[in-house]
Structures are given as C-alpha cells and as structure tokens.
Amino acid sequence: SSGINAEYGETEFNMDGKIGGDSCLSENGRRYGEELGRFVREEGLSELPVWTSLMRRTLETGSYLPNTSVERYKALNELDAGQCDGLTYQQIETDYPEEFALRDLDKYNYRYPRGESYHDLCCRLEPVIMDLEKGGSVFVICHQAVLRCIVGYLLDIPVEEIPYIKIPLHTVIKIVPTAYGCEREDIKFGISSAITHRDKQSVESIEKRLIDAGINKVEESRKDKSERVIPSLEELSI
C-alpha cells in the first residue's frame, strides 16, 4: 500500500523557533491547509482515510481536507521534549548546555529529561506502522520527528540517520511501493515556512561543548546519562 504523509502547517511556535507545544497554525500554515485541501480534491484523494495526531496543529491542518473518514491517534503525537518543551534550541543550549550537547552526540538514543527519545518514539509508532503496512493508502498528517520514524522505516534507513531525515514543512511526502522496497516523492506547495531542520553536528564541536559544560570526556557523559540511553538498537523491530 502507498502512504501519503504531510506534516502539519507552520505554527506560531515554528515562527518563534520553539520546539513542541500545542500552538495554532500561522497565517502561512492556514494557507498551506487551504492548498492541501485543494490538492486532495484535484488528485481524487477525498475518499482516503485521514490519520492525525491529537495535537491542535494536525487537527487544524486536517480540517481543510474534504475527507470524511478521519481518525486521531495519540501514538502520532510529536516526540515529547519533556522539560525542554516550548523552548528554542538557543534557550536549551544556554540553559541546559550539557543536555544540548548530549543530544547532538547520540540523537537517536538521547532522551529529553522527563521526555522521550527517537527510540521511544519508534517503539510507540510500531503498531501504527504495522497498520499502515497492512491496510490500503492512508493520508497521514503528523509531525517532523514522527514522519522521520515512519519514512525511515518504510525506506529502510539506518536508525542512527532517522533523526536527520529532512521533513520540510508545507510538503506532502508520498511513499510508493516498488519491486525492491519503497520510494519517496516530495510534493511542494511553494508556501514559505520556518526551517525546522537542524543538521548533524561534528563530533569535535560536540566534544568542545561538553568540555565547556564541565564534562571532560565523552565516555563520562555517556556513563552519567546511561539511564537515558537505550543501548540495544537490535531490540528495535522497526
């Protein structure tokens, strides 16, 4: 089955550079919602079931679609940033420099204090992904980290690269089955939005930041934060 995935429209939090939260769509996010609804009608996708998270930005984006079969899944909610929810990356780097560096060091396994890791998110999404594989085509409206996990699984991308998959706002990502797996096709709508992607950082720059945060060795930082790291990637079934 093919999957049609769309990230929500740009939000007020995106414009401010904040992560997480449950904010409303921005003006450009609402424009994207209108264009997305038009796209669905023109492409004859109005009969597809639509899956969203429980968060306001996906529900608001989905409200522009004419589709009547809409299901909401808590499992599709965005990765929980815990005590860093609602902060900008700059604020996290200033207020929690050690956490900021540790996440860059091992972004897939790093778990936000009182929050989740990408590994946690992949485990949470496993039942949803299994349903996607078993059923027909579905239009999924969700979040950047969630789409990274879904796209990463369907395209068989190594888990350590999942947190760096580019999932731009205001883009429909179509996953099409082929004889040897799946292919990704991006459909862009030409509506400007904030850039939410953060590139992978060099080990040298991360180690320097850890030293600046008072940690002299990467090994010590990993040991100190071992309770936040899930060590066995082989246990992950997706």
Side-chain angles (χ1 to χ4, degrees):
S1 65
S2 63
I4 302 173
N5 307 285
E7 195 173 1
Y8 58 83
E10 179 191 68
T11 68
E12 295 166 359
F13 259 39
N14 293 146
M15 294 177 66
D16 294 335
K18 297 177 180 179
I19 65 172
D22 195 19
S23 60
C24 298
L25 298 184
S26 67
E27 182 179 347
N28 279 345
R30 292 189 291 272
R31 284 182 55 214
Y32 166 67
E34 293 171 355
E35 290 299 317
L36 187 62
R38 185 175 297 113
F39 167 80
V40 166
R41 286 188 290 270
E42 291 176 353
E43 294 295 317
L45 304 174
S46 301
E47 300 302 316
L48 285 186
V50 175
W51 295 358
T52 75
S53 74
L54 302 185
M55 309 193 85
R56 186 179 304 169
R57 50 195 182 271
T58 67
L59 299 175
E60 193 173 345
T61 302
S63 70
Y64 290 95
L65 273 58
N67 309 54
T68 56
S69 176
V70 180
E71 294 188 52
R72 304 173 182 180
Y73 288 89
K74 184 177 181 180
L76 289 173
N77 283 0
E78 181 60 299
L79 186 149
D80 185 354
Q83 72 180 36
C84 295
D85 188 75
L87 302 179
T88 66
Y89 282 129
Q90 186 174 0
Q91 287 174 318
I92 298 171
E93 186 172 17
T94 301
D95 297 344
Y96 308 104
E98 182 182 348
E99 298 296 335
F100 193 70
L102 287 172
R103 188 166 195 257
D104 279 342
L105 186 65
D106 186 3
K107 193 173 179 181
Y108 181 79
N109 283 301
Y110 171 85
R111 181 179 293 131
Y112 279 109
R114 295 196 295 275
E116 291 181 302
S117 68
Y118 267 90
H119 182 108
D120 296 333
L121 179 58
C122 283
C123 292
R124 162 154 63 90
L125 286 168
E126 184 172 359
V128 175
I129 293 175
M130 296 303 104
D131 285 346
L132 279 174
E133 285 198 308
K134 289 186 293 186
S137 296
V138 179
F139 205 109
V140 182
I141 302 175
C142 50
H143 309 266
Q144 180 173 257
V146 174
L147 282 174
R148 281 173 173 161
C149 293
I150 293 173
V151 170
Y153 169 76
L154 294 175
L155 298 186
D156 198 24
I157 294 172
V159 292
E160 64 271 14
E161 296 300 320
I162 284 176
Y164 303 101
I165 298 173
K166 290 189 176 180
I167 306 288
L169 287 167
H170 300 171
T171 302
V172 167
I173 299 172
K174 189 174 183 180
I175 303 297
V176 183
T178 68
Y180 303 101
C182 292
E183 292 182 353
R184 168 178 172 170
E185 176 189 352
D186 285 16
I187 303 167
K188 301 182 182 297
F189 287 76
I191 299 171
S192 63
S193 66
I195 297 174
T196 56
H197 183 85
R198 187 165 181 274
D199 290 329
K200 191 172 186 177
Q201 307 296 300
S202 70
V203 174
E204 291 77 13
S205 69
I206 298 169
E207 289 181 340
K208 182 180 183 303
R209 284 186 279 132
L210 284 170
I211 292 172
D212 291 342
I215 297 177
N216 293 322
K217 294 180 181 179
V218 171
E219 290 77 10
E220 290 178 6
S221 69
R222 283 174 169 160
K223 182 179 180 181
D224 292 343
K225 299 299 177 181
S226 61
E227 71 276 6
R228 293 196 194 134
V229 176
I230 301 174
S232 177
L233 298 183
E234 291 77 9
E235 293 176 359
L236 181 63
S237 60
I238 61 170

